[in-house]
């Protein structure tokens, strides 16, 4: 406050647009296999995801191919595509927790009774007003 000039600081903050950020999406799933077939399927899924989120070395070269991208959608059919619009993503984090209840529990085979999978995705394109 400047009493001599009769001025005060403007209480309204200005927001300055600097850039549009790439959106991130996080998902967590908990699985409790009921039998050996379900457990085997879960192991296959985890191994497949781990393989696909890493770069692939190119033969006889010092370069690598980019990891796979992901297209995420909810449900099936045309109407669900606009429910929550997610652009093509890359998975930037994948965690497997074999003791999601806090203490580990195993079947007699040594396999976990419950598994929690956490995934984080980042879109590869910025959303603009033209997307909607």
């Amino acid at each position: 406050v400047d009493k001599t000039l009769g001025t005060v600081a403007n209480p309204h903050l200005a927001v300055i647009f600097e850039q549009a950020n790439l959106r991130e999406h996080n998902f967590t799933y908990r699985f409790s296999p009921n039998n050996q077939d379900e457990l085997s399927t879960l192991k296959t899924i985890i191994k497949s995801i781990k393989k696909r989120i890493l770069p692939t070395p190119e033969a006889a070269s010092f370069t690598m191919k980019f990891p796979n991208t992901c297209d995420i959608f909810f449900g099936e059919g045309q109407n669900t595509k606009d429910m929550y619009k997610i652009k093509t993503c890359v998975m930037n984090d994948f965690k497997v927790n074999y003791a999601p209840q806090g203490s580990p529990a195993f079947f007699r085979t040594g396999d976990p009774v419950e598994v929690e999978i956490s995934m984080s995705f980042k879109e590869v394109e910025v959303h603009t007003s033209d997307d909607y």
Side-chain angles (χ1 to χ4, degrees):
V1 176
D2 188 342
K3 292 181 183 178
T4 58
L5 295 175
T7 61
V8 296
N10 183 351
H12 304 287
L13 297 176
V15 176
I16 299 172
F17 179 80
E18 292 180 10
Q19 70 181 24
N21 294 321
L22 298 172
R23 295 190 319 170
E24 281 197 43
H25 307 279
N26 301 298
F27 302 96
T28 300
Y29 299 98
R30 190 169 285 186
F31 300 95
S32 300
N34 291 315
N35 55 47
Q36 193 62 37
D37 287 342
E38 289 181 4
L39 185 60
S40 178
T41 300
L42 182 58
K43 286 179 177 181
T44 300
I45 291 169
I46 291 170
K47 186 176 180 180
S48 178
I49 291 172
K50 285 180 177 181
K51 180 178 176 125
R52 286 179 170 81
I53 65 173
L54 297 171
T56 305
E58 292 193 337
S61 175
F62 293 106
T63 61
M64 293 190 166
K65 292 182 181 178
F66 285 108
N68 291 6
T69 57
C70 306
D71 291 313
I72 301 169
F73 57 92
F74 301 95
E76 293 183 25
Q78 190 63 28
N79 295 336
T80 58
K81 289 187 178 186
D82 293 326
M83 185 172 76
Y84 187 73
K85 190 170 184 84
I86 299 177
K87 291 193 172 191
T88 299
C89 297
V90 292
M91 187 182 293
N92 59 351
D93 193 27
F94 181 71
K95 293 180 180 146
V96 181
N97 182 358
Y98 294 103
Q101 296 290 346
S103 59
F106 301 97
F107 292 112
R108 289 184 183 166
T109 60
D111 293 308
V113 171
E114 196 169 42
V115 177
E116 184 178 83
I117 295 175
S118 300
M119 299 176 280
S120 177
F121 299 87
K122 186 172 262 193
E123 293 180 353
V124 297
E125 288 182 50
V126 172
H127 278 261
T128 66
S129 60
D130 291 342
D131 295 323
Y132 299 94

